[in-house]
Amino acid sequence: KDYDHFDDEDLALSIPKNAIGVPKEFRQQVLKEMKLRNRPNDILKNRCYCNYDQSICGNNMTCVKQDGAACYHAVEEVYNKAEKRMETLHKWGCATLERGSGASHLTCNSWRAAHHSPKSIGCCYEGNYCNKNLIPPAYVHHHKEKALQEKTDNPEDYDSPLENMTRGGKMFIMVFATVMSVFAVIGCIYLCITRAEEKSKARARAKTVSLKTESTYMESKSMLEDSGSGSGQAALIQRTVRQDLTIIKTIGQGRYGEVRKALYRGSYVAVKTFYTTDEDSWKNERDVYQTNMINHENILQFVAADIWSEEDSMTKMLLITDYHELGSLSDYLCREETLTTDEALRLIHSCICGIEHLHAAVHGTGSFRKPEIAHRDIKSKNIIVKRPNVCCIADLGLALRYQNDKILPEKFNVQVGTKRYMAPELISNKLNPKDFSQFKMADIYSMALVMWEVAIRVEVNTCEEVLTVDETSPDHSASSGIGESVSSSGNISRMHLQKTNVEGHSTSLKAKQHVPPFDGIVHNDPNFDEMNDVICVRRIRPPPDLAWKNVPALNELSKLMEDSWHSIPHFRHSALKLKKEMAELIKNPDRQNQSQRKVEFQQQDSGLVESATNQS
Amino acid sequence: MINFDGIKKITERLKWKQGDEDENWAKKAIDNLMKKLIKHNKQALENLEFALRCQGQQKTECVTIPRSLDGRLQISHRKALPHVIYCRVYRWPDLQSHHELKAIEDCRFCYESGQKDICINPYHYKRVHATGVLPPVLVPRYSEKPPQEVPPTLAKFQLMEMSGSRMPQNVNMANVNFTANQFHQYNPNGIEEMDTSQKFDIPPGVPTCLVPFDKVWEEQFWATVSYYELNTRVGEQVKVSSTTITIDGFTDPCINGSKISLGLFSNVNRNATIENTRRHIGNGVKLTYVRSNGSLFAQCESDSAIFVQSSNCNYINGFHSTTVVKIANKCSLKIFDMEIFRQLLEDCSRRGFDASFDLQKMTFIRMSFVKGWGAEYQRQDVTSTPCWIEIHLHAPLAWLDRVLSTMGPTPRPISSIS
C-alpha cells in the first residue's frame, strides 16, 4: 500500500480523522478541501474592524478573518515620554486561525498571562465588525511595583486609565464577594447573621487569595525564565571553599585582618582574612602562591583562596594555607626552652633554603618556569616553624616577581615591609627599583637579622667566663648591651628576664631572652628617621654574643651574619652561598680552619642535608 | 467612636515592606487588629493608641488579643505570631522572627508567658540580637531623590540650606515629606535598643579625639568601585570622580568618568547564570554623590531590581545592620548619609579604637544587580549573587583613618606590623 507523507506542514495538525491512512488518490481531494476551507471567505460573517495600516486593513478599515477565527480588540498601557503619562493604546484586527484548535484560543486567552506592562485582549467570533464595540477584560498580573513606581514618579497622573482599570477590577471582585456573601446570608438565615456574614466573607477572601498566590507563582516563574529578579524557584548555589571551613579560633591579628585556625576537609588550616581595601595585597599573595613550581618544603603550603561575606556583612578575602601548631619563629624563640647550636643552625638553614628557592628562577618544560621572587618582608614573625628544626617562609603579600625582564606586580611601592628589618638602602631610599637583584640583597639583610635572633637563643654553656659576665649583669644582656633607651618592649623584655632569673636560675641564664633586633635602641614601631639614624648613620648592628667566640659553629655563623648585613648590598652573600655555608656548618660544626671547606656541596635542600648529617 | 486619625498616622509610617510581603499586608494586619480589639477589648484599643503615641516614653498597659490554637495569626496568606506581626508593623519592618524579640518585665501577657491572651503592644517588646539571622530584605515604598532633582516645590529647602541653614538634606520625593528629624522621631527607640547590647560606659569628661572633617571630601576621587561575579573579583578597581555615575551592563568603551560599563569586564570562568544575569543589568544603577554633604543616592535604572546592603542606610532606618534593600526600577534611595556617620564617629571615638574601627563597615556598600540575597532568597550571601559591586567611600574612610590615627592602639594585640 502506498501511504504518503504530508509535506505541507501547515496541514499536519488539521487533518480530519478520516484522512489518516487514506491512499494517495484520496489525498489530493483532502488537500483541495483543506485549501478551500482555509481561504478567507469574504462574507460579512468574517469581516472585522481593523485599525492597522493599509497593507493589512486596506482602505476601509476592514480585515477578513478565516472561518472559525476571531476578531479582536487589544489594549495596552504605554508610557508616553513626550507627555510623561500613561496612555492606552488600542488595536483592532483579525486573529489567525490556530493549528489544531480551529479557533483563536491562544490569542484570545493571552490576557490571562503575566505581562510586563498592562495588556489585555477581547475576542468575538461572529464577525460583522463585532470587535468594534468590544470591551477587553480587565488587566491582570501586571507588575504592581512598576505601576506604583510610575505613580510615585508622576504624582499628577493619579487618575491615569491604568489606575481606573485596576480600581475597576478591584471593584468587580468586591461586588462579586458581596453578592456571594448575600447568597450565603440567605442560605444560613437561621444562623446568627453576623457570624455567617463573616464566614462567607472570609471564604470569598480566601478564594481571591489563592488566585493571587497562583498568579504570583506564575509571575515568579516567568521571571525565573528570563532571569529577572525575585524569589523564584530553587536554583542550586555553588558551594565554595569557604563553606568547607570550620573556624576554630583566632590566632593572629594584624592591620590587614586576622589569621584564624580552621578545619578544612579534615585537616587544620590557617585562614588569613583581608579587608577588601587590601585587595592588592591579597591578590599579590595569592598570585605568588599560585606561581608555577613554587612548591617547596620551606615555603608555606598554600591551599586555596576565596572571597566571602562575613555575618557582619563585610566582604573578606581569604587565603588558606597549611596550619602549623608551633606558630611563628618569633613565638618559637620566645619559649622558655633555649636552643642547641645544632637546632639553631638547622632552623636558619631551612629558612635560607626557602629564601634561596624564592630568589632562584627555575625552568621546567614548556611555559613552566618559576620567576625570581623577592620576599620584601622577611622577619621572624613571617617565618613559620613547621616542626622542630624546620621552618618555612610565609606572608608573601609584598613579594615581587621578576619574569621576562619585568617586575610583577607592575605598580608597587618600594619602601614597604617592616621598618625594623629594612635594609639600609631601603631606609635611605637609595635602592634602585629597576634592578631586581637589589630587592634580593635587601632580603638577605633582613635574613641576617633573623639569624641573629635565632643565634642569641642558643644555650652556650661551654665557657664559664661568659657565664659569669651574664650573671653579674643580667640587665645588660637583655638590652643587648647597647643603649639604655626606655622603650616599652625593652622594659617588658627586661621584666621577663628578671622573672626567669628568679624562677629558673640554672637553665635560662645561659641563653639570652628573645628580643627583636635593635630592641632598646629603637621604639616599638620605629619610623624611618629613627631607623635611618641607627642603621645608616650610626651603622649599628645587633651585637654578637661574646660566648659565640668559644663555639666554632656560632663563630662562623656570626661571620656570615656580619657579611650579610653589610651596609653595601653587593658585599652581602647570596642566598645560595648562605645555604651552602649553612649546610656545611651543620655537617661539620667543629671545623676550625678554612681549608676544610672544600667539601662537596651537593645537598640542595634541607631534607637531604638532614639525612646526610644524621648518618654521620 | 474610634480615633481614626491615629490609625491613619500609623499607616503613613509604613514606608518599607519586606520583599515577599503583600502590598497591603501591613494595612490588612492593622485592620484585622482593629476589628479584634473593637470586638473583644475596646479599652485595649485606647491603650494601643496611647502606646503608639508616646513611643515607649511612658509606661503603657498590655494590649491583648486572644491566642489562637497554634498561637499564630493569619494575615493575608502569611501566618505569623501576633506579637511579631505587630512589632513588625509598628516598629521594625525588618523583624523576622520571635527569636529577635524579648518582652519587657512589665508585660503581663507577653508571648513567653503562654497565657490565653497575648499582648501585642509593640512597646512591650525589645529587640535582641539573635545569632545566625540571615539578612532581611526590605523594599522601600517611596523614593528618595538626590537634592538636585528636587522639584521646584521643594527648592526652598535647598535655598535654606545654601543660606547656611542646617536643614537636613534627605528630602523625600513622595507625597509624604519627611526629613531626618522625623526619622528620629519615628524610630529613636529602635535604634537605641539595638545598640544597648554593645554599649560601653563612657566615663564623664573623657575628651573625644574627633578630627574636623572639613577637608576630607575635597579629594578628587570619592569612591572606588570593585566588580565581582560570585566569589571572584573581576576587572580593575575603578576610582570615581564624577558626582553622578551610571553603572550599566552595556559595553560603552569610552571612559568619560561618568559611566562604568560592566559589559566590558571579562572573566574566563563565567558561567551561564552570570552571562544571563549580565544581560539583564541593562541600564543598571545611577549613583549620585552630593559632595557638599557627603551623601550618596542610588537610583535603579534597570528593569530588574537592584539590591543594596548599606549598613549606614540600615542604621538611618533603624534596621538590622545587614538588611538588604531591594530597589525597583526608577526608585531612588539615599544609601549613605555623612551626617549620621559623623554623629556615630563622634560617639564611637569616645569608646575607643575597636568601636571606631567597626565603623569601617559603614564605608563599604554592596550592591547586587538583578538577583537578590538574604532571608527571602535562595542566595544567603552576596558572594553567591552573579553580578555585584562593592563601593568604598573615600571621604568617610579617610576621616575614620584620621580619627583612628589620633587614638591609641587597639587593646587587641596586633601580632604583626608590616
Side-chain angles (χ1 to χ4, degrees):
Chain A
K1 279 181 187 170
D2 188 11
Y3 289 95
D4 203 350
H5 295 282
F6 285 70
D7 303 315
D8 190 354
E9 216 190 49
D10 272 325
L11 300 172
L13 274 172
S14 47
I15 312 155
K17 257 186 191 163
N18 57 8
I20 295 171
V22 174
K24 202 177 176 181
E25 51 267 30
F26 286 98
R27 182 165 140 63
Q28 297 301 330
Q29 200 189 333
V30 171
L31 275 177
K32 223 181 204 170
E33 271 177 30
M34 295 243 166
K35 267 188 187 143
L36 206 69
R37 209 179 63 185
N38 286 337
R39 198 181 59 207
N41 203 356
D42 192 2
I43 51 172
L44 197 60
K45 217 185 99 194
N46 281 344
R47 282 188 195 157
C48 309
Y49 181 68
C50 174
N51 72 337
Y52 288 84
D53 62 24
Q54 284 203 344
S55 60
I56 299 166
C57 301
N59 292 324
N60 48 1
M61 305 275 266
T62 306
C63 60
V64 182
K65 68 183 180 67
Q66 288 173 328
D67 290 335
C71 306
Y72 66 78
H73 173 199
V75 285
E76 186 181 356
E77 294 301 320
V78 289
Y79 184 65
N80 187 330
K81 271 188 183 164
E83 293 182 36
K84 292 195 174 170
R85 58 194 184 87
M86 298 300 293
E87 279 183 349
T88 313
L89 189 72
H90 293 269
K91 289 171 186 168
W92 287 270
C94 297
T96 52
L97 190 67
E98 281 144 13
R99 269 196 275 151
S101 76
S104 308
H105 294 311
L106 284 178
T107 312
C108 296
N109 282 303
S110 61
W111 63 276
R112 296 177 197 274
H115 289 288
H116 214 76
S117 58
K119 271 183 192 172
S120 184
I121 190 166
C123 286
C124 59
Y125 285 91
E126 56 267 39
N128 199 8
Y129 304 104
C130 64
N131 58 340
K132 196 171 180 179
N133 296 318
L134 192 71
I135 297 164
Y139 300 123
V140 287
H141 311 325
H142 63 264
H143 275 288
K144 284 210 176 101
E145 267 168 34
K146 206 177 162 189
L148 181 88
Q149 220 29 69
E150 273 146 5
K151 193 171 88 183
T152 48
D153 277 358
N154 313 289
E156 70 274 14
D157 281 356
Y158 259 46
D159 290 318
S160 67
L162 152 77
E163 275 304 303
N164 287 339
M165 284 315 289
T166 44
R167 260 181 225 165
K170 269 179 207 158
M171 200 93 93
F172 176 75
I173 294 173
M174 276 170 70
V175 168
F176 181 71
T178 14
V179 169
M180 283 269 294
S181 55
V182 167
F183 274 117
V185 168
I186 295 165
C188 312
I189 199 113
Y190 321 103
L191 296 171
C192 169
I193 289 170
T194 48
R195 194 161 282 185
E197 196 169 14
E198 209 171 49
K199 240 183 196 172
S200 62
K201 258 187 188 165
R203 204 178 299 148
R205 206 171 290 156
K207 218 166 192 176
T208 49
V209 163
S210 71
L211 203 90
K212 217 160 206 173
T213 45
E214 205 176 275
S215 75
T216 44
Y217 169 72
M218 267 173 75
E219 202 170 305
S220 65
K221 202 177 159 195
S222 75
M223 290 306 279
L224 197 80
E225 276 157 12
D226 68 11
S227 182
S229 66
S231 44
Q233 264 180 344
L236 291 178
I237 302 303
Q238 178 65 51
R239 282 176 74 87
T240 63
V241 174
R242 157 63 198 135
Q243 271 106 33
D244 288 338
L245 286 176
T246 315
I247 305 290
I248 296 168
K249 62 174 180 184
T250 304
I251 51 178
Q253 181 93 37
R255 293 214 192 276
Y256 50 83
E258 287 177 330
V259 181
R260 293 179 229 182
K261 181 184 178 181
L263 195 64
Y264 173 70
R265 294 175 179 260
S267 57
Y268 290 123
V269 289
V271 181
K272 189 170 163 186
T273 57
F274 295 75
Y275 293 107
T276 44
T277 38
D278 297 322
E279 185 190 320
D280 292 340
S281 178
W282 171 80
K283 189 166 176 283
N284 188 50
E285 187 160 1
R286 185 197 64 183
D287 289 351
V288 173
Y289 272 129
Q290 291 177 340
T291 310
N292 284 330
M293 294 188 288
I294 200 171
N295 254 3
H296 190 272
E297 162 79 358
N298 303 115
I299 290 170
L300 185 60
Q301 180 63 49
F302 171 73
V303 177
D306 200 359
I307 299 178
W308 80 296
S309 145
E310 299 210 330
E311 271 147 31
D312 59 0
S313 77
M314 284 284 273
T315 315
K316 291 281 176 70
M317 293 171 156
L318 308 184
L319 276 183
I320 303 160
T321 61
D322 274 356
Y323 172 76
H324 299 292
E325 192 66 52
L326 292 171
S328 74
L329 181 60
S330 171
D331 298 338
Y332 191 70
L333 297 175
C334 279
R335 298 175 314 160
E336 292 245 325
E337 297 104 278
T338 53
L339 301 171
T340 66
T341 309
D342 186 57
E343 274 169 355
L345 293 179
R346 283 170 194 276
L347 281 173
I348 293 169
H349 176 256
S350 62
C351 294
I352 291 173
C353 282
I355 291 171
E356 195 276 327
H357 181 70
L358 279 179
H359 284 185
V362 184
H363 291 255
T365 179
S367 60
F368 275 81
R369 59 189 51 170
K370 177 197 157 293
E372 294 175 36
I373 297 170
H375 187 284
R376 299 210 297 163
D377 195 15
I378 287 179
K379 56 176 174 179
S380 54
K381 291 223 164 87
N382 284 345
I383 294 170
I384 307 289
V385 182
K386 282 178 107 168
R387 50 182 184 272
N389 298 342
V390 183
C391 293
C392 60
I393 309 291
D395 206 336
L396 299 168
L398 295 171
L400 291 180
R401 285 158 285 159
Y402 186 63
Q403 207 161 15
N404 304 327
D405 297 334
K406 261 196 309 202
I407 296 179
L408 290 173
E410 281 173 20
K411 282 183 208 156
F412 63 89
N413 294 325
V414 178
Q415 275 187 318
V416 294
T418 310
K419 293 182 202 90
R420 185 184 288 272
Y421 288 85
M422 255 185 210
E425 66 270 22
L426 269 169
I427 292 284
S428 57
N429 209 2
K430 282 179 187 145
L431 186 139
N432 175 14
K434 299 245 161 67
D435 182 4
F436 189 76
S437 64
Q438 295 206 9
F439 288 109
K440 297 203 279 188
M441 292 169 193
D443 274 356
I444 298 295
Y445 169 89
S446 314
M447 185 59 219
L449 298 183
V450 175
M451 286 159 74
W452 176 85
E453 278 184 77
V454 177
I456 56 161
R457 291 291 290 151
V458 174
E459 187 177 344
V460 190
N461 55 5
T462 48
C463 182
E464 273 162 15
E465 195 190 335
V466 180
L467 257 176
T468 50
V469 170
D470 261 15
E471 263 169 340
T472 48
S473 58
D475 272 0
H476 230 76
S477 61
S479 56
S480 316
I482 301 169
E484 289 297 307
S485 105
V486 194
S487 77
S488 60
S489 64
N491 277 339
I492 288 165
S493 68
R494 215 165 296 152
M495 274 164 58
H496 265 283
L497 185 87
Q498 278 158 3
K499 201 173 141 204
T500 47
N501 267 349
V502 175
E503 283 171 0
H505 204 79
S506 52
T507 52
S508 50
L509 255 186
K510 292 155 199 161
K512 287 172 183 168
Q513 199 65 30
H514 168 253
V515 283
F518 308 113
D519 185 56
I521 302 171
V522 296
H523 285 94
N524 201 8
D525 191 4
N527 58 28
F528 278 108
D529 292 340
E530 202 177 353
M531 287 309 293
N532 189 45
D533 181 54
V534 171
I535 67 163
C536 302
V537 180
R538 287 157 62 194
R539 297 200 177 185
I540 294 171
R541 296 290 184 272
D545 196 305
L546 290 175
W548 293 349
K549 286 258 187 297
N550 304 64
V551 185
L554 292 181
N555 202 22
E556 282 294 311
L557 186 66
S558 174
K559 281 182 194 157
L560 286 177
M561 274 181 230
E562 272 165 40
D563 292 343
S564 301
W565 64 43
H566 202 282
S567 294
I568 302 163
H570 290 281
F571 284 16
R572 294 173 200 153
H573 291 301
S574 70
L576 183 64
K577 165 84 172 163
L578 278 177
K579 178 172 126 176
K580 289 180 172 178
E581 291 286 348
M582 289 307 299
E584 181 57 25
L585 267 181
I586 290 167
K587 199 176 175 193
N588 194 4
D590 293 325
R591 71 189 165 147
Q592 289 285 350
N593 53 41
Q594 303 285 315
S595 62
Q596 278 182 325
R597 284 196 179 189
K598 288 191 177 175
V599 193
E600 66 228 287
F601 290 133
Q602 281 163 358
Q603 294 88 352
Q604 289 295 314
D605 70 55
S606 65
L608 270 178
V609 176
E610 262 173 46
S611 60
T613 44
N614 283 346
Q615 281 164 9
S616 64
Chain B
M1 141 188 142
I2 318 154
N3 182 5
F4 274 104
D5 280 355
I7 298 164
K8 212 177 160 194
K9 232 179 235 166
I10 292 155
T11 46
E12 270 178 17
R13 289 181 186 144
L14 311 169
K15 298 187 194 310
W16 297 82
K17 70 177 190 86
Q18 289 198 3
D20 61 349
E21 186 176 304
D22 204 11
E23 191 53 47
N24 295 320
W25 182 84
K27 210 172 159 297
K28 280 180 193 158
I30 292 175
D31 287 348
N32 188 304
L33 178 66
M34 291 306 143
K35 250 179 237 157
K36 276 215 171 72
L37 292 181
I38 290 165
K39 200 163 156 191
H40 298 285
N41 196 349
K42 281 199 179 141
Q43 176 59 38
L45 190 59
E46 277 163 36
N47 290 342
L48 177 66
E49 281 273 299
F50 180 67
L52 294 173
R53 226 184 357 254
C54 58
Q55 303 191 340
Q57 314 271 330
Q58 288 178 45
K59 264 192 182 179
T60 49
E61 289 294 309
C62 280
V63 179
T64 60
I65 58 169
R67 188 186 288 258
S68 71
L69 271 181
D70 66 345
R72 296 187 301 170
L73 185 67
Q74 179 159 352
I75 306 291
S76 193
H77 61 284
R78 206 185 243 258
K79 240 179 176 185
L81 294 169
H83 68 302
V84 177
I85 291 178
Y86 295 105
C87 281
R88 206 175 110 187
V89 166
Y90 291 116
R91 292 187 72 186
W92 303 288
D94 60 322
L95 188 66
Q96 293 187 67
S97 82
H98 62 282
H99 298 297
E100 293 171 79
L101 290 178
K102 196 170 173 280
I104 61 165
E105 278 176 14
D106 291 349
C107 183
R108 287 173 299 131
F109 293 96
C110 64
Y111 167 73
E112 290 90 344
S113 68
Q115 294 175 71
K116 255 201 290 183
D117 285 330
I118 170 169
C119 173
I120 53 92
N121 183 343
Y123 292 92
H124 272 196
Y125 294 91
K126 55 189 175 187
R127 194 84 182 264
V128 290
H129 274 272
T131 50
V133 178
L134 285 172
V137 182
L138 290 179
V139 184
R141 288 205 168 92
Y142 300 94
S143 213
E144 271 182 296
K145 295 243 163 143
Q148 56 259 51
E149 289 183 28
V150 169
T153 46
L154 293 171
K156 61 175 182 184
F157 286 126
Q158 285 182 315
L159 273 172
M160 282 160 82
E161 184 201 286
M162 279 157 73
S163 60
S165 152
R166 289 186 64 87
M167 175 68 71
Q169 269 295 324
N170 49 352
V171 183
N172 201 291
M173 271 298 289
N175 43 355
V176 201
N177 291 328
F178 67 101
T179 60
N181 289 340
Q182 272 170 310
F183 257 135
H184 294 299
Q185 277 168 19
Y186 166 41
N187 233 327
N189 304 305
I191 294 168
E192 257 169 46
E193 277 175 32
M194 286 183 59
D195 260 3
T196 42
S197 58
Q198 35 184 301
K199 213 158 205 167
F200 295 78
D201 283 322
I202 307 156
V206 171
T208 73
C209 24
L210 196 63
V211 180
F213 63 102
D214 40 326
K215 294 278 182 267
V216 171
W217 45 67
E218 285 180 10
E219 296 271 329
Q220 187 195 354
F221 297 109
W222 60 270
T224 304
V225 176
S226 315
Y227 173 58
Y228 295 78
E229 290 178 355
L230 301 176
N231 63 340
T232 310
R233 260 283 291 120
V234 176
E236 292 286 305
Q237 290 183 326
V238 184
K239 283 195 172 155
V240 185
S241 57
S242 165
T243 49
T244 52
I245 180 151
T246 308
I247 301 170
D248 66 20
F250 304 123
T251 53
D252 187 354
C254 68
I255 302 149
N256 58 4
S258 66
K259 193 187 252 184
I260 300 173
S261 282
L262 296 179
L264 290 173
F265 289 112
S266 60
N267 173 10
V268 283
N269 298 318
R270 196 169 277 158
N271 65 26
T273 316
I274 301 173
E275 285 286 3
N276 202 13
T277 309
R278 280 165 60 83
R279 269 180 227 135
H280 285 81
I281 295 175
N283 290 317
V285 63
K286 189 168 99 187
L287 299 176
T288 309
Y289 180 65
V290 186
R291 251 178 217 275
S292 58
N293 64 0
S295 56
L296 179 66
F297 293 81
Q299 171 157 332
C300 176
E301 300 280 337
S302 166
D303 288 340
S304 315
I306 57 168
F307 297 82
V308 179
Q309 191 180 46
S310 160
S311 110
N312 183 278
C313 169
N314 291 336
Y315 180 83
I316 295 170
N317 294 297
F319 300 150
H320 192 271
S321 69
T322 62
T323 303
V324 177
V325 175
K326 176 183 179 180
I327 306 183
N329 177 268
K330 290 292 170 204
C331 193
S332 176
L333 187 74
K334 180 193 267 193
I335 57 173
F336 189 85
D337 188 314
M338 186 60 114
E339 178 56 24
I340 301 288
F341 185 79
R342 195 194 64 76
Q343 286 167 12
L344 280 170
L345 189 56
E346 198 176 306
D347 205 33
C348 289
S349 62
R350 290 194 204 100
R351 296 190 204 160
F353 188 94
D354 285 348
S356 309
F357 189 79
D358 227 34
L359 277 184
Q360 194 185 3
K361 281 174 202 163
M362 282 209 173
T363 65
F364 301 148
I365 296 170
R366 307 190 296 176
M367 195 181 282
S368 168
F369 294 98
V370 188
K371 297 290 182 188
W373 84 97
E376 292 161 22
Y377 291 91
Q378 193 70 22
R379 298 172 170 88
Q380 302 188 349
D381 181 4
V382 72
T383 57
S384 301
T385 60
C387 301
W388 57 285
I389 55 171
E390 185 170 87
I391 303 162
H392 294 171
L393 294 172
H394 290 187
L397 259 177
W399 192 15
L400 176 67
D401 196 52
R402 268 206 240 165
V403 172
L404 288 178
S405 61
T406 60
M407 287 177 147
T410 164
R412 290 176 296 178
I414 282 189
S415 51
S416 181
I417 305 161
S418 291

